[in-house]
Amino acid sequence: MKKIIKNGIIVTATDIYRADLCIENGIITQIGADFSEQGAEVTDAKGCYLFPGGIDPHTHLDMPFGGTVTKDNFETGTMAAAFGGTTTVIDFCLTQKGKSLQSAVETWHAKSKNKAVIDYGFHLQIVEMNETVLKELPKVMEEEGITSLKVFMAYKNQFQADDETLFQTLISAKEHGALVMVHAENGDVIDYLVKKALAEGNTDPIYHALTRPPEAEGEATGRAATLTELAKSQLYVVHVTCAEATRKIAEARNKGIDIWGETCPQYLVLDQTYLEKPDFEGAKYVWSPPLREKWNQEVLWNALKTGQLQTLGSDQCSFDFVGQKDLGKDDFSKIPNGGPIIEDRVCILFSEGVKKGRITLNQFVDLTSTRAAKLFGLYPKKGTIAIGGDADIVIFDPTVERIISAETHHMAVDYNAFEGMKIIGEPVSVLSRGEFVIRDKQFVGSPGKGQYLKRAKYGTFKENKESKPLTI
């Protein structure tokens, strides 16, 4: 059925204007006014913004970690994402040494099959680089449409790859049109500091932060940038948390290195003191890199405003407080790393960013949707509101005030990292390829309706890497 959304204010990364949308067969077919409503399903969006569906470039759904598995899978996680205004997620396929890349991809296809309620794609972790991997990688990229590769510089003896692997991955990515993503922390230094803390009897959650200092993030970010320059390749630094890492990205961009930076809402509104909460409550806020001292928040906001950081991911990686986080009750290093963020990513940026004057509406759309679509090969089908694009639309009420709580969220996890936070703005209805997933704040979608996305190569849509000087 033809759908018309009328009386809304359309916001893209470049424009703000009032117009109606006509949707047919999941595609935006007309943008204008006074469309014939005969035979159409009409939705009145008066008083609301129309945003392109959010794209979350950083999720971990149904992921094994630390002897357990993330609580949210591709059904509950994508449902929560939709409630929060996200219509596409890109999840991480974890690989194992000695096993084929294709086997990892098949594992993630099995995890997601008939579960996702919105569209999704995969990044592919690279844990080793040898002749076998080098031979298989182009085929996997071509057949699966996976054009982003993840390398961990942390989690020693678990996920961490060495510098040679990172460098070879950068070279291979340059050759085959992939974007290399790094978790930038110095894993060797962190491993030493963790062992030292435990030997001294320091086991509380706060030591997770104290053994992963910002200097370790800054050093790894700078090292990754240097290797990228040497390889003449391209780099995307995930979950940037601090001034040290932000400065390294800004310096590299000023040198002309093809580098991009992502931060997450938790680093914009929470700080290191949350890990000091009594009765082991601090474990709820254990993720990596850790929360930082509060003053880093304004550094990150400034970097978003000036374009030195370009995207907002969630790093969704949820574990129950009871039964999962408490695996580290007597040893902070055994607390599963991660938090439930996917549902609140978009709304927190609107409330804390747009409503408080830190960023513009256009920047908000760019950060939550458009830039990720361009970097990860989804634009212009996704990431904007344009004729011919997928009708991934968020009807957003910018006036509603509410309080974030685990009692009302839609994630499967037993706590919310932003519990009690007052925010302004909420999606009213969300469409994925022209079909309502959320309608009048009620779930009306279906598991399995989300489609797997094969993505274009990096650089298909050239980006302007110019940005304003960053003051730290």
Side-chain angles (χ1 to χ4, degrees):
M1 179 183 290
K2 180 171 74 172
K3 292 183 175 69
I4 294 173
I5 303 175
K6 66 180 185 179
N7 298 324
I9 300 172
I10 295 174
V11 185
T12 70
T14 55
D15 300 300
I16 303 174
Y17 58 97
R18 189 179 298 277
D20 299 343
L21 294 178
C22 184
I23 299 167
E24 297 178 81
N25 299 317
I27 302 297
I28 299 169
T29 56
Q30 297 180 77
I31 301 175
D34 301 322
F35 300 136
S36 171
E37 297 181 4
Q38 184 175 358
E41 178 183 352
V42 180
T43 300
D44 191 345
K46 186 177 181 180
C48 291
Y49 291 126
L50 303 182
F51 296 139
I55 297 173
D56 190 340
H58 191 156
T59 67
H60 301 282
L61 302 173
D62 198 2
M63 186 193 81
F65 183 91
T68 187
V69 179
T70 54
K71 191 66 185 292
D72 281 291
N73 59 24
F74 276 85
E75 181 175 338
T76 65
T78 57
M79 186 186 302
F83 270 104
T86 292
T87 56
T88 299
V89 300
I90 312 179
D91 206 73
F92 289 90
C93 295
L94 300 185
T95 58
Q96 299 180 47
K97 287 185 176 181
K99 293 191 176 182
S100 71
L101 301 178
Q102 186 62 43
S103 66
V105 176
E106 289 172 358
T107 296
W108 253 255
H109 276 308
K111 289 175 182 287
S112 56
K113 186 178 181 181
N114 298 326
K115 289 185 178 179
V117 307
I118 57 175
D119 292 350
Y120 62 98
F122 298 149
H123 307 295
L124 182 62
Q125 179 201 9
I126 300 296
V127 69
E128 61 182 343
M129 189 59 78
N130 50 41
E131 289 303 316
T132 301
V133 174
L134 284 169
K135 184 178 180 179
E136 186 185 11
L137 186 57
K139 182 180 178 182
V140 172
M141 287 180 57
E142 182 69 27
E143 294 182 356
E144 298 288 345
I146 296 177
T147 53
S148 43
L149 309 173
K150 172 75 173 289
V151 177
F152 285 90
M153 301 174 76
Y155 296 114
K156 189 171 183 178
N157 301 320
Q158 189 172 8
F159 298 141
Q160 183 177 332
D162 57 26
D163 284 353
E164 181 181 356
T165 297
L166 173 56
F167 187 60
Q168 284 188 285
T169 302
L170 286 161
I171 291 172
S172 185
K174 179 66 175 179
E175 180 181 355
H176 299 297
L179 181 58
V180 177
M181 312 170 77
V182 289
H183 175 134
E185 290 184 286
N186 189 315
D188 292 329
V189 169
I190 289 169
D191 185 63
Y192 170 83
L193 293 174
V194 168
K195 290 176 179 176
K196 183 174 184 293
L198 293 174
E200 294 171 351
N202 298 318
T203 61
D204 291 340
I206 185 59
Y207 287 96
H208 173 77
L210 299 179
T211 57
R212 304 182 86 103
E215 292 85 356
E217 184 182 344
E219 184 279 329
T221 303
R223 177 159 38 103
T226 298
L227 293 176
T228 301
E229 181 181 30
L230 187 60
K232 297 180 175 60
S233 191
Q234 49 271 346
L235 186 72
Y236 179 98
V237 184
V238 302
H239 50 41
V240 175
T241 75
C242 60
E244 287 83 352
T246 305
R247 184 182 297 114
K248 292 294 185 182
I249 292 171
E251 291 172 353
R253 288 172 65 82
N254 289 339
K255 288 179 66 178
I257 299 172
D258 195 353
I259 183 172
W260 307 89
E262 164 201 283
T263 192
C264 309
Q266 53 270 41
Y267 303 117
L268 296 171
V269 298
L270 306 178
D271 64 75
Q272 186 173 297
T273 61
Y274 282 77
L275 283 89
E276 298 174 337
K277 286 180 176 286
D279 301 322
F280 197 62
E281 288 279 326
K284 294 178 177 178
Y285 305 92
V286 167
W287 43 68
S288 297
L291 293 173
R292 303 301 187 188
E293 292 182 0
K294 190 175 180 64
W295 63 268
N296 287 277
Q297 292 174 5
E298 285 309 310
V299 172
L300 297 177
W301 281 114
N302 187 33
L304 292 176
K305 181 178 181 178
T306 59
Q308 297 290 0
L309 296 176
Q310 299 81 29
T311 63
L312 189 81
S314 68
D315 195 9
Q316 164 73 16
C317 193
S318 60
F319 298 98
D320 275 339
F321 178 56
V322 177
Q324 291 185 301
K325 288 284 189 179
D326 52 13
L327 292 171
K329 189 80 173 179
D330 301 312
D331 180 348
F332 71 87
S333 70
K334 294 180 180 179
I335 300 171
N337 281 210
I341 314 292
I342 198 168
E343 186 168 349
D344 300 307
R345 178 185 73 104
V346 171
C347 294
I348 285 176
L349 189 70
F350 180 84
S351 184
E352 291 292 309
V354 176
K355 296 298 287 186
K356 293 189 176 180
R358 289 173 165 133
I359 58 172
T360 68
L361 263 176
N362 300 119
Q363 287 177 313
F364 163 81
V365 170
D366 198 39
L367 288 162
T368 57
S369 181
T370 309
R371 191 63 63 100
K374 291 179 177 179
L375 290 175
F376 294 107
L378 295 170
Y379 190 85
K381 291 290 287 182
K382 298 187 183 294
T384 193
I385 295 177
I387 293 174
D390 286 353
D392 295 351
I393 307 293
V394 179
I395 303 175
F396 190 93
D397 185 341
T399 64
V400 63
E401 297 184 14
R402 61 192 179 94
I403 296 176
I404 296 175
S405 174
E407 292 184 1
T408 54
H409 76 201
H410 303 88
M411 294 174 285
V413 69
D414 64 2
Y415 78 98
N416 192 295
F418 308 105
E419 186 72 35
M421 182 178 176
K422 295 180 181 180
I423 63 170
I424 301 174
E426 182 179 27
V428 176
S429 298
V430 177
L431 295 88
S432 172
R433 284 178 288 101
E435 297 296 324
F436 283 97
V437 182
I438 308 298
R439 189 165 198 166
D440 297 325
K441 303 182 185 180
Q442 299 297 314
F443 178 70
V444 294
S446 300
K449 280 293 187 73
Q451 293 183 359
Y452 173 72
L453 303 172
K454 293 185 177 183
R455 297 179 286 115
K457 292 183 178 181
Y458 175 75
T460 302
F461 302 98
K462 295 296 182 182
E463 281 292 301
N464 179 7
K465 292 187 287 298
E466 292 182 4
S467 48
K468 299 175 185 176
L470 182 67
T471 302
I472 299 177

